[in-house]
Amino acid sequence: SSLLLMSGVVVTVGLCRRLARRRLRSRPLLFAFLVEMFSTFQICACTNELSLLGNVEPKPHTALTLTYGFTVLHGLTLAGSTCNPCGTLQPMWGGGTSLRMGGLKIAAQFVAAVLARVLMHFIWSLEMAEPHLGALSQGCSSPMQTTEMQAFCIELLFSVVFQLAVLQAESVNPKYRVHLIALLITMLVYAGGNLTGAIFNPALAFSLHADCFYDKFLSYSLVYWLAPCLGKFLILYVF
């Protein structure tokens, strides 16, 4: 049921992106906002559902396999979208994207994060699948299983590694690049998922753990918003 749900999200987003591409080419700002929103929505909705499958046996093989598979699927279906506020900062820093366009895309990413969370919580409330039973009663299911300083350093390091890999993979054939990036993300999730969740995406972190941001805004904003952005700026400054 979860796989069908995530597949349905991917198909629906694909249709919405195609419709926007056909109808809104003459309105670049609205087109950019909607495409970025649809794309980020797909990642956030699927990852919300994947977060419920972490305990499916055999552990952690099932969760890691699904992470790799859907990361490849996102890479193949969401070409041209960043779906990550940190990724949007790079062209803004280099002057390739205006402040207005960059701000619009970041707004679209956080709007999508909220919409994905609302939709998935509504679906979970219907309890149509076994993983959905009791999913809404968890409240702040904190992914931070270490100290704030260690969590900050882990998310910072993972962001640096990921952004550096993305830069180095730009010269790789796209059909191989998506598998390399997916493999890296899966390895990072395996290495630090039990400590911080290995998210390194501010919009995705908010979609997954909004309750925790409400309860402990300062610590979670430092770990899941500031650390990834700082990692991005370190890469931009060095390279």
Side-chain angles (χ1 to χ4, degrees):
S1 300
S2 292
L3 292 178
L4 288 175
L5 174 60
M6 290 186 285
S7 299
V9 169
V10 172
V11 171
T12 302
V13 167
L15 293 176
C16 291
R17 280 168 54 95
R18 180 174 297 182
L19 182 63
R21 191 173 291 110
R22 289 180 177 178
R23 300 293 180 86
L24 299 174
R25 279 295 190 181
S26 59
R27 305 178 67 181
L29 290 179
L30 181 59
F31 172 74
F33 179 88
L34 289 178
V35 169
E36 193 66 32
M37 186 183 72
F38 292 144
S39 302
T40 308
F41 176 87
Q42 175 176 315
I43 289 180
C44 291
C46 290
T47 308
N48 267 280
E49 186 68 18
L50 281 173
S51 67
L52 299 182
L53 304 179
N55 294 323
V56 175
E57 297 292 346
K59 297 188 297 185
H61 306 85
T62 300
L64 292 175
T65 301
L66 290 173
T67 298
Y68 174 81
F70 273 90
T71 302
V72 171
L73 185 60
H74 295 326
L76 294 174
T77 58
L78 302 180
S81 300
T82 58
C83 308
N84 188 336
C86 298
T88 307
L89 293 174
Q90 179 179 351
M92 292 174 63
W93 179 271
T97 298
S98 67
L99 183 63
R100 183 183 182 185
M101 178 64 78
L104 195 67
K105 289 185 175 182
I106 292 176
Q109 291 158 2
F110 277 97
V111 168
V114 174
L115 291 177
R117 180 177 179 83
V118 171
L119 175 65
M120 297 310 294
H121 278 217
F122 170 74
I123 294 176
W124 294 349
S125 69
L126 302 178
E127 298 186 342
M128 297 184 297
E130 183 178 351
H132 299 170
L133 300 177
L136 296 180
S137 63
Q138 297 177 0
C140 173
S141 53
S142 175
M144 199 186 304
Q145 301 300 318
T146 183
T147 65
E148 292 181 9
M149 181 56 66
Q150 289 178 337
F152 180 89
C153 293
I154 290 171
E155 287 292 312
L156 174 63
L157 175 62
F158 284 4
S159 178
V160 168
V161 171
F162 175 72
Q163 300 296 343
L164 181 59
V166 169
L167 288 177
Q168 295 300 317
E170 288 181 350
S171 58
V172 179
N173 189 308
K175 65 180 181 180
Y176 301 124
R177 183 193 311 155
V178 65
H179 290 279
L180 291 174
I181 297 300
L183 180 61
L184 173 63
I185 291 176
T186 305
M187 292 172 61
L188 293 177
V189 169
Y190 177 71
N194 62 323
L195 297 175
T196 66
I199 303 173
F200 48 88
N201 181 333
L204 178 58
F206 186 72
S207 183
L208 291 174
H209 305 291
D211 292 336
C212 299
F213 280 92
Y214 300 150
D215 294 342
K216 302 177 181 178
F217 177 79
L218 181 59
S219 60
Y220 272 75
S221 60
L222 287 175
V223 173
Y224 295 105
W225 288 356
L226 181 61
C229 293
L230 181 58
K232 183 65 178 181
F233 279 117
L234 286 175
I235 292 297
L236 292 175
Y237 178 77
V238 174
F239 291 93

